[in-house]
Coordinates of all heavy atoms in Angstrom, one line a residue:
I979 N 175.8 180.0 81.0 CA 177.1 180.5 81.6 C 177.6 181.7 80.8 O 178.1 182.7 81.4 CB 178.1 179.4 81.7 CG1 177.6 178.4 82.7 CG2 179.5 179.9 82.0 CD1 178.4 177.0 82.7
F980 N 177.6 181.6 79.5 CA 178.1 182.8 78.6 C 177.2 184.0 78.9 O 177.7 185.1 79.0 CB 178.1 182.4 77.2 CG 179.2 181.4 76.8 CD1 178.9 180.2 76.2 CD2 180.5 181.7 77.1 CE1 179.9 179.3 75.9 CE2 181.5 180.8 76.8 CZ 181.2 179.6 76.1
E981 N 175.9 183.8 79.0 CA 175.0 184.9 79.3 C 175.4 185.6 80.6 O 175.5 186.8 80.7 CB 173.5 184.5 79.4 CG 172.9 184.1 78.1 CD 172.3 185.2 77.2 OE1 172.4 186.4 77.7 OE2 171.8 184.9 76.2
A982 N 175.5 184.8 81.6 CA 175.9 185.4 83.0 C 177.3 186.0 82.9 O 177.4 187.1 83.5 CB 175.8 184.2 84.0
A983 N 178.2 185.4 82.3 CA 179.6 186.0 82.2 C 179.6 187.3 81.5 O 180.2 188.2 81.9 CB 180.5 185.0 81.6
A984 N 178.9 187.3 80.3 CA 178.9 188.5 79.5 C 178.2 189.7 80.2 O 178.6 190.8 80.0 CB 178.1 188.2 78.2
A985 N 177.3 189.4 81.1 CA 176.6 190.4 81.9 C 177.3 190.8 83.1 O 176.9 191.8 83.8 CB 175.2 190.0 82.2
S986 N 178.4 190.1 83.4 CA 179.1 190.4 84.7 C 180.3 191.3 84.5 O 180.5 191.8 83.4 CB 179.6 189.0 85.2 OG 180.8 188.6 84.5
E987 N 181.1 191.5 85.5 CA 182.3 192.3 85.5 C 183.5 191.4 85.2 O 184.6 191.9 85.3 CB 182.5 193.0 86.9 CG 181.4 194.0 87.2 CD 181.3 195.1 86.1 OE1 182.3 195.7 85.8 OE2 180.2 195.4 85.7
L988 N 183.3 190.2 84.9 CA 184.4 189.3 84.6 C 185.3 189.8 83.4 O 184.7 190.2 82.4 CB 183.8 187.9 84.2 CG 184.8 186.7 84.0 CD1 185.4 186.4 85.3 CD2 184.0 185.5 83.5
Y989 N 186.6 189.8 83.6 CA 187.5 190.2 82.5 C 187.3 189.4 81.3 O 187.2 189.9 80.1 CB 188.9 190.2 83.0 CG 189.9 190.4 81.9 CD1 190.1 191.7 81.3 CD2 190.7 189.3 81.4 CE1 191.0 191.9 80.3 CE2 191.6 189.5 80.3 CZ 191.8 190.8 79.8 OH 192.7 191.0 78.8
G990 N 187.2 188.1 81.4 CA 187.0 187.2 80.3 C 187.1 185.8 80.6 O 187.5 185.3 81.7
M991 N 186.8 185.0 79.6 CA 186.9 183.5 79.7 C 187.6 182.9 78.5 O 187.7 183.5 77.4 CB 185.4 183.0 79.6 CG 184.6 183.4 80.8 SD 182.9 182.8 80.6 CE 183.1 181.1 80.8
I992 N 188.1 181.7 78.7 CA 188.6 180.9 77.7 C 187.7 179.7 77.5 O 187.3 179.1 78.5 CB 190.0 180.3 78.1 CG1 191.0 181.4 78.4 CG2 190.6 179.4 77.0 CD1 192.1 181.0 79.4
F993 N 187.2 179.4 76.3 CA 186.3 178.3 76.1 C 186.9 177.4 75.0 O 187.4 177.9 74.0 CB 184.9 178.8 75.7 CG 183.9 177.6 75.4 CD1 183.6 176.8 76.5 CD2 183.4 177.4 74.2 CE1 182.7 175.7 76.3 CE2 182.5 176.3 73.9 CZ 182.2 175.5 75.0
T994 N 186.9 176.1 75.3 CA 187.5 175.1 74.3 C 186.3 174.4 73.7 O 185.3 174.1 74.3 CB 188.4 174.1 75.0 OG1 187.7 173.3 75.9 CG2 189.5 174.9 75.8
Y995 N 186.5 174.1 72.4 CA 185.4 173.5 71.6 C 186.0 172.7 70.5 O 186.9 173.1 69.8 CB 184.6 174.6 71.1 CG 183.3 174.2 70.4 CD1 182.3 173.5 71.1 CD2 183.0 174.6 69.1 CE1 181.1 173.2 70.5 CE2 181.8 174.3 68.5 CZ 180.9 173.6 69.2 OH 179.7 173.2 68.6
V996 N 185.4 171.5 70.3 CA 185.7 170.7 69.1 C 184.6 171.1 68.1 O 183.4 170.8 68.2 CB 185.6 169.2 69.4 CG1 185.8 168.4 68.1 CG2 186.7 168.8 70.4
W997 N 185.0 171.9 67.1 CA 184.1 172.5 66.1 C 184.2 171.6 64.8 O 185.2 171.6 64.1 CB 184.6 173.9 65.8 CG 183.8 174.8 64.9 CD1 182.8 174.4 64.1 CD2 183.9 176.2 64.7 NE1 182.3 175.5 63.4 CE2 183.0 176.6 63.8 CE3 184.8 177.1 65.2 CZ2 182.9 177.9 63.3 CZ3 184.7 178.4 64.8 CH2 183.8 178.8 63.9
A998 N 183.1 171.0 64.5 CA 182.9 170.2 63.2 C 182.5 171.2 62.2 O 181.3 171.6 62.2 CB 182.0 169.1 63.4
F999 N 183.4 171.6 61.3 CA 183.1 172.6 60.3 C 182.1 172.2 59.3 O 181.5 173.1 58.6 CB 184.4 173.1 59.7 CG 185.2 173.9 60.6 CD1 186.2 173.3 61.4 CD2 185.0 175.3 60.7 CE1 186.9 174.1 62.3 CE2 185.8 176.1 61.6 CZ 186.7 175.5 62.4
D1000 N 181.8 170.9 59.2 CA 180.8 170.5 58.2 C 179.5 170.2 58.8 O 178.6 169.7 58.2 CB 181.3 169.2 57.5 CG 182.0 168.2 58.4 OD1 182.1 168.4 59.6 OD2 182.3 167.1 57.9
L1001 N 179.3 170.7 60.1 CA 178.0 170.6 60.7 C 177.4 172.0 61.0 O 178.0 172.8 61.7 CB 178.1 169.8 62.1 CG 178.4 168.4 62.0 CD1 178.5 167.8 63.4 CD2 177.4 167.6 61.2
Q1002 N 176.3 172.3 60.4 CA 175.7 173.6 60.6 C 175.4 173.9 62.1 O 175.5 175.0 62.5 CB 174.4 173.7 59.8 CG 173.8 175.1 59.8 CD 174.7 176.2 59.3 OE1 175.3 176.0 58.2 NE2 174.9 177.2 60.0
N1003 N 175.0 172.8 62.9 CA 174.7 173.0 64.3 C 175.9 173.6 65.0 O 175.7 174.4 65.9 CB 174.3 171.7 64.9 CG 172.9 171.3 64.6 OD1 172.1 172.1 64.1 ND2 172.5 170.1 64.9
D1004 N 177.1 173.2 64.7 CA 178.3 173.7 65.3 C 178.5 175.2 64.9 O 178.9 176.0 65.8 CB 179.5 172.9 65.0 CG 179.6 171.6 65.7 OD1 178.6 171.2 66.4 OD2 180.6 170.9 65.7
W1005 N 178.3 175.5 63.7 CA 178.4 176.9 63.3 C 177.4 177.8 64.0 O 177.7 178.9 64.5 CB 178.2 177.1 61.7 CG 179.4 176.7 60.9 CD1 179.6 175.4 60.4 CD2 180.4 177.5 60.5 NE1 180.8 175.5 59.7 CE2 181.3 176.7 59.7 CE3 180.7 178.9 60.7 CZ2 182.5 177.2 59.2 CZ3 181.9 179.4 60.2 CH2 182.8 178.6 59.4
D1006 N 176.2 177.2 64.1 CA 175.1 177.9 64.8 C 175.4 178.2 66.3 O 175.2 179.2 66.8 CB 173.8 177.2 64.7 CG 173.2 177.1 63.3 OD1 173.7 177.9 62.4 OD2 172.4 176.2 63.0
F1007 N 176.0 177.2 66.9 CA 176.4 177.3 68.3 C 177.5 178.4 68.5 O 177.4 179.2 69.4 CB 176.9 176.0 68.9 CG 177.4 176.1 70.3 CD1 176.6 176.3 71.4 CD2 178.8 176.1 70.6 CE1 177.1 176.4 72.7 CE2 179.3 176.2 71.9 CZ 178.4 176.4 72.9
V1008 N 178.5 178.4 67.6 CA 179.5 179.4 67.7 C 178.9 180.8 67.5 O 179.2 181.7 68.2 CB 180.7 179.1 66.7 CG1 181.7 180.2 66.6 CG2 181.4 177.8 67.2
D1009 N 178.1 180.9 66.5 CA 177.4 182.2 66.2 C 176.6 182.6 67.4 O 176.6 183.8 67.8 CB 176.5 182.1 65.0 CG 177.2 182.0 63.7 OD1 178.4 182.3 63.7 OD2 176.6 181.6 62.7
K1010 N 175.9 181.7 68.1 CA 175.1 182.0 69.2 C 176.0 182.6 70.4 O 175.6 183.6 71.0 CB 174.3 180.8 69.7 CG 173.5 181.0 71.0 CD 172.0 180.9 70.7 CE 171.3 181.4 71.9 NZ 170.0 180.6 72.1
I1011 N 177.1 181.9 70.7 CA 177.9 182.3 71.8 C 178.6 183.7 71.5 O 178.7 184.5 72.3 CB 178.9 181.3 72.4 CG1 179.9 180.9 71.4 CG2 178.1 180.1 72.9 CD1 181.0 180.0 71.9
C1012 N 178.9 183.8 70.2 CA 179.5 185.1 69.8 C 178.5 186.2 69.9 O 178.8 187.3 70.4 CB 180.0 185.0 68.4 SG 181.5 184.0 68.2
G1013 N 177.3 185.9 69.6 CA 176.2 186.9 69.7 C 175.9 187.3 71.1 O 175.7 188.5 71.4
I1014 N 176.0 186.3 72.0 CA 175.8 186.6 73.4 C 176.9 187.5 73.9 O 176.6 188.6 74.6 CB 175.8 185.3 74.3 CG1 174.6 184.4 74.0 CG2 175.9 185.5 75.7 CD1 174.6 183.0 74.5
V1015 N 178.1 187.2 73.7 CA 179.3 188.0 74.2 C 179.3 189.4 73.5 O 179.4 190.4 74.1 CB 180.6 187.2 74.0 CG1 181.8 188.1 74.3 CG2 180.6 186.0 74.9
E1016 N 179.2 189.4 72.2 CA 179.3 190.7 71.4 C 178.1 191.5 71.7 O 178.2 192.8 71.7 CB 179.5 190.4 69.9 CG 180.9 189.8 69.6 CD 181.0 189.3 68.2 OE1 180.0 188.9 67.5 OE2 182.2 189.2 67.8
G1017 N 176.9 190.9 71.9 CA 175.7 191.7 72.3 C 175.8 192.5 73.5 O 175.1 193.4 73.7
K1018 N 176.8 192.1 74.4 CA 177.0 192.8 75.7 C 178.3 193.6 75.5 O 178.9 194.0 76.6 CB 177.1 191.8 76.8 CG 175.9 191.0 77.1 CD 174.8 191.8 77.8 CE 173.7 191.0 78.2 NZ 172.6 191.7 78.8

Side-chain angles (χ1 to χ4, degrees):
I979 290 167
F980 290 122
E981 288 276 1
S986 76
E987 296 298 315
L988 188 66
Y989 171 71
M991 296 175 67
I992 304 156
F993 181 62
T994 66
Y995 188 59
V996 176
W997 184 348
F999 286 91
D1000 44 357
L1001 292 181
Q1002 187 60 48
N1003 284 346
D1004 283 13
W1005 283 91
D1006 294 344
F1007 175 73
V1008 170
D1009 287 344
K1010 175 116 188 214
I1011 63 172
C1012 289
I1014 290 169
V1015 173
E1016 292 171 335
K1018 298 284 188 186

